Amino acid sequence: MAKVTVVGAGNVGATCANVLATREVCSELVLLDIKEGVAEGKILDMYQCATLMDFDTNMVGVTNDYAATAGSDVVVITSGMPRKPGMTREELIGVNAGIVKSVATEILKHSPNAILVIVSNPMDPMAYLTLKATGLPKNRVVGLGGALDSARFKCYLAKALGVNSNDIEGMVIGGHGDTTMIPLISKASVKGVPVTQLCKDKAVLDKVAADTMVGGATLTKLLGTSAWYAPGAASASVVEAIVRDQKKIIPACVYLEGEYGQKDICIGVPTVIGRNGAERVVELELTAEEKELFEKSAEAVRKTNAILTEIKAL
C-alpha cells in the first residue's frame, strides 16, 4: 500500500489524516507541522482511536522533519493561514504563496515522485504556483476545490429537495472562490432524475447555487475560522482516488492546455483521478450561460495569478 504525507496539522490537515487513517487508505501516514508537538499529539490521539475503531494504519507525527516524509506517494499540502470572518480566499495569497512554495520544494527533495494535492487557499493560484515553481508534469498537481464545493452543492440540493444527499449527482466547476465557482444545476440529478424536473421553481435552485458559492464564507462566519470536517474529508477522498486507482471523475483544479477554451491556468473541471493523479480532463457540454460564467471565472483566476508575479512568487 501507499505512503501518504499530510503537511499541516491544523483542523483541515488533521481531519484529512484522521479520515485517511480510519478508512485505511494507506499503509503509512505521516502528519507534519511546523509547531512543536502538534502533529505528534494529534497522531497519538488517533492511535488511541485505533483501539476503539479497529484500524491498523501505521502513523507518525513529526515537527518540521521532512526526512520522515521520504518516499511518499501522495502529499497533501494544507499549510498556510486559514480564512477569518470577512476575509476572501484571495486575500491570503501574499502570506500563503511563500509557505506553499517552500513546502512543495522540501517535499520533492525527499519524495521526487509524489503527487501533490493542494488544499491551501487561495487554492487555484496555489496549485498554479506549485506547478510552475516545481516544474512537475501537470498530472502530479491536483487542487482540491471542486470536490469540496460539489459536496456543499449536494448538501444544499438535498435540503432543498428533501432527498438523501447520497442519491445526488452534482458538480461545481470553475475557480474555488465565492464569486468564481459554478454549480452546474443543468447537470445535477437524483438517481438519474434531473433536479430541474424535481423542482420547477427556478428561484429555489438559484438559491441552492448561491448558498453553495458562499458555503465556505457561511461556515467561516459561524465558526470564526475556516471549516474543516468537509474540507478534510474532501481532501482524503481525492487521495483515496489516487492511491486506490479509482478512476473517479472528480471536479479538481488542474492545469488546462486548451480544454474548455483555456490555456496556462489551473482551474476546477471534471477530471479522472487515478494512480497517476489527474489522468484526464472530461469536457462537458456546457450551456451558453455556463460557458460565459466559466470564462468569467477563468478571467478572475488569472487576475489573482497575476499577483503571484507582482509579489515575485513566480
Side-chain angles (χ1 to χ4, degrees):
M1 294 234 351
K3 178 175 181 176
V4 175
T5 289
V6 179
V7 182
N11 289 335
V12 175
T15 300
C16 175
N18 189 54
V19 173
L20 291 170
T22 56
R23 288 180 61 83
E24 297 183 323
V25 170
C26 51
S27 57
E28 188 174 356
L29 175 66
V30 178
L31 181 61
L32 181 148
D33 199 86
I34 194 171
K35 190 174 180 180
E36 186 72 38
V38 172
E40 291 89 336
K42 292 192 177 182
I43 287 295
L44 179 58
D45 196 10
M46 289 179 208
Y47 257 123
Q48 291 165 6
C49 283
T51 69
L52 302 167
M53 299 177 68
D54 191 28
F55 62 88
D56 301 312
T57 306
N58 182 27
M59 302 174 285
V60 62
V62 296
T63 301
N64 241 18
D65 180 13
Y66 282 89
T69 72
S72 293
D73 297 285
V74 185
V75 177
V76 183
I77 300 178
T78 73
S79 309
M81 186 175 78
R83 278 205 293 175
K84 293 181 173 61
M87 178 182 284
T88 66
R89 294 178 177 90
E90 288 73 24
E91 288 175 300
L92 297 173
I93 192 167
V95 176
N96 289 350
I99 296 172
V100 171
K101 187 175 180 179
S102 173
V103 168
T105 301
E106 286 299 315
I107 282 294
L108 291 171
K109 286 179 182 177
H110 300 278
S111 301
N113 298 316
I115 294 170
L116 306 185
V117 177
I118 309 301
V119 181
S120 308
N121 277 319
M123 190 275 306
D124 302 285
M126 292 303 101
Y128 183 78
L129 170 65
T130 301
L131 187 77
K132 293 296 183 177
T134 62
L136 287 174
K138 63 179 183 177
N139 63 295
R140 286 176 53 195
V141 177
V142 182
L144 171 71
L148 171 60
D149 298 332
S150 297
R152 289 172 173 163
F153 182 34
K154 287 185 274 190
C155 165
Y156 285 117
L157 277 171
K159 289 179 178 292
L161 301 176
V163 299
N164 190 312
S165 60
N166 293 308
D167 285 343
I168 296 175
E169 287 291 340
M171 186 181 298
V172 177
I173 63 172
H176 181 55
D178 299 349
T179 60
T180 57
M181 67 180 74
I182 307 160
L184 296 177
I185 294 288
S186 71
K187 304 293 187 293
S189 64
V190 182
K191 287 292 186 181
V193 181
V195 297
T196 51
Q197 182 176 324
L198 293 172
C199 178
K200 302 295 186 181
D201 190 341
K202 186 176 182 298
V204 171
L205 296 178
D206 285 345
K207 186 176 187 305
V208 166
D211 287 344
T212 299
M213 293 175 73
V214 296
T218 299
L219 287 163
T220 301
K221 184 177 180 180
L222 291 168
L223 298 169
T225 187
S226 297
W228 58 90
Y229 293 129
S235 305
S237 72
V238 173
V239 174
E240 185 171 4
I242 296 169
V243 170
R244 293 183 169 157
D245 196 25
Q246 291 177 330
K247 310 295 187 188
K248 282 190 173 181
I249 296 178
I250 298 175
C253 177
V254 296
Y255 188 72
L256 300 186
E257 295 180 302
E259 302 93 337
Y260 290 91
Q262 300 295 328
K263 293 182 179 180
D264 193 32
I265 189 173
C266 288
I267 194 168
V269 292
T271 306
V272 176
I273 303 293
R275 188 63 191 86
N276 293 314
E279 296 188 349
R280 177 167 58 90
V281 169
V282 177
E283 291 203 62
L284 301 172
E285 290 187 13
L286 302 179
T287 66
E289 180 183 7
E290 290 163 350
K291 287 179 181 178
E292 183 179 352
L293 288 172
F294 191 82
E295 288 173 4
K296 288 180 179 178
S297 180
E299 183 180 349
V301 170
R302 289 184 196 283
K303 286 181 179 178
T304 309
N305 285 349
I307 299 173
L308 294 171
T309 303
E310 292 174 13
I311 63 175
K312 296 181 170 39
L314 282 177

